[in-house]
Amino acid sequence: MVTNATIEALLGRRSIRKFKDEAIDDDTRATLETVAQHAASSQFLNDWSAIRITDPAIKAKLAEFGHQPYIATAPLLYVFVIDEHRNARIAERKGIDPASDEFHLKYSYRFTQAQNDAVLALHAMETAAYSLGLGCVILGSLLNNIPGLIDVLNLPEYTYPVLGLAIGKPDQNPTVKPRMPRTMQFFENTYPVDAFSDQVATISRQDVSHQTLLDKAAAQGFRLDQ
């Protein structure tokens, strides 16, 4: 493999769930947020936002939602959200009623694309954090209580939570989890037919009761009862 600092940061990625009690300086925070803004955006609609959580009471509430106490101790904590609310207000100023069928940004296609954009932005921030020697953990657990999350973050219409991201200076050193062979996840041109699994499924339905091999094996000196 070829390598550089970015590749090494990505290959060394592991979830960090214990952080040192040290704040992240403003310049680092600004860098991470700016990097997130530079992630790819479908149709350049920028239909995601991130809520930076600094209020200890809200952190504690999110830790309760996620059933993970370490969420409350993260020096930097974000919740990335789908955000068509901002675009709805822009459209409204241009004479388009977001409640009408004319406003297409509220439909499933844009929901999916905005969700993708939010994940891409989060991943860009996570990668930048690792490259700076910080540790992160992605928080899908916050979605255990979506209504509660929407309420505590005061999320308006046309927004929806996607994932959280906790960032800090690592206070643990977990091993990198092993990955499966590339050939099991990277295919060429089409998804491969799993001939082995098909064979197992076929054979599993075959009636083999007529194949009385025990007596024949015993005649040959085999003791298959032991």
Side-chain angles (χ1 to χ4, degrees):
M1 285 179 55
V2 297
T3 190
N4 58 28
T6 302
I7 291 171
E8 291 301 320
L10 287 165
L11 291 178
R13 187 219 163 273
R14 61 264 174 90
S15 293
I16 299 296
R17 295 177 172 85
K18 186 178 180 183
F19 305 104
K20 293 180 180 178
D21 187 18
E22 298 180 28
I24 304 301
D25 64 87
D26 290 345
D27 287 345
T28 298
R29 188 190 71 193
T31 298
L32 296 177
E33 293 179 359
T34 302
V35 167
Q37 289 183 292
H38 281 254
S41 174
S42 173
Q43 295 183 280
F44 202 59
L45 285 173
N46 294 290
D47 43 9
W48 64 270
S49 291
I51 314 295
R52 187 191 320 114
I53 310 300
T54 57
D55 186 330
I58 298 179
K59 282 187 174 184
K61 200 69 178 174
L62 299 193
E64 179 186 323
F65 293 159
H67 306 299
Q68 294 166 322
Y70 60 81
I71 294 174
T73 66
L76 264 182
L77 179 62
Y78 294 89
V79 179
F80 283 73
V81 303
I82 291 169
D83 189 354
E84 296 297 356
H85 176 79
R86 179 172 49 237
N87 289 334
R89 300 287 73 81
I90 293 171
E92 195 170 38
R93 289 197 296 270
K94 296 292 185 180
I96 299 168
D97 180 5
S100 72
D101 294 341
E102 188 181 8
F103 183 69
H104 285 217
L105 300 186
K106 63 189 174 188
Y107 298 141
S108 61
Y109 175 75
R110 277 317 317 167
F111 184 95
T112 302
Q113 293 300 92
Q115 183 178 45
N116 291 342
D117 286 359
V119 172
L120 290 171
L122 179 148
H123 180 58
M125 178 180 279
E126 183 202 29
T127 301
Y130 279 114
S131 76
L132 295 173
L134 300 173
C136 307
V137 59
I138 297 172
L139 303 169
S141 60
L142 297 182
L143 304 182
N144 289 342
N145 187 346
I146 290 174
L149 192 58
I150 289 171
D151 181 62
V152 76
L153 298 182
N154 195 31
L155 296 183
E157 189 177 31
Y158 305 131
T159 64
Y160 196 84
V162 177
L163 286 171
L165 182 66
I167 305 173
K169 296 180 181 178
D171 197 23
Q172 62 178 179
N173 188 30
T175 59
V176 176
K177 291 180 181 178
R179 264 56 178 182
M180 65 179 69
R182 280 190 300 120
T183 53
M184 293 183 66
Q185 284 191 298
F186 284 86
F187 312 130
E188 193 155 343
N189 297 322
T190 61
Y191 197 92
V193 175
D194 191 341
F196 176 73
S197 295
D198 289 344
Q199 178 179 328
V200 170
T202 299
I203 292 175
S204 71
R205 293 194 296 265
Q206 291 179 355
D207 180 7
V208 294
S209 59
H210 64 283
Q211 297 178 13
T212 55
L213 61 83
L214 289 179
D215 55 340
K216 296 181 178 63
Q220 289 297 107
F222 293 102
R223 296 292 305 273
L224 302 185
D225 58 338
Q226 294 183 350

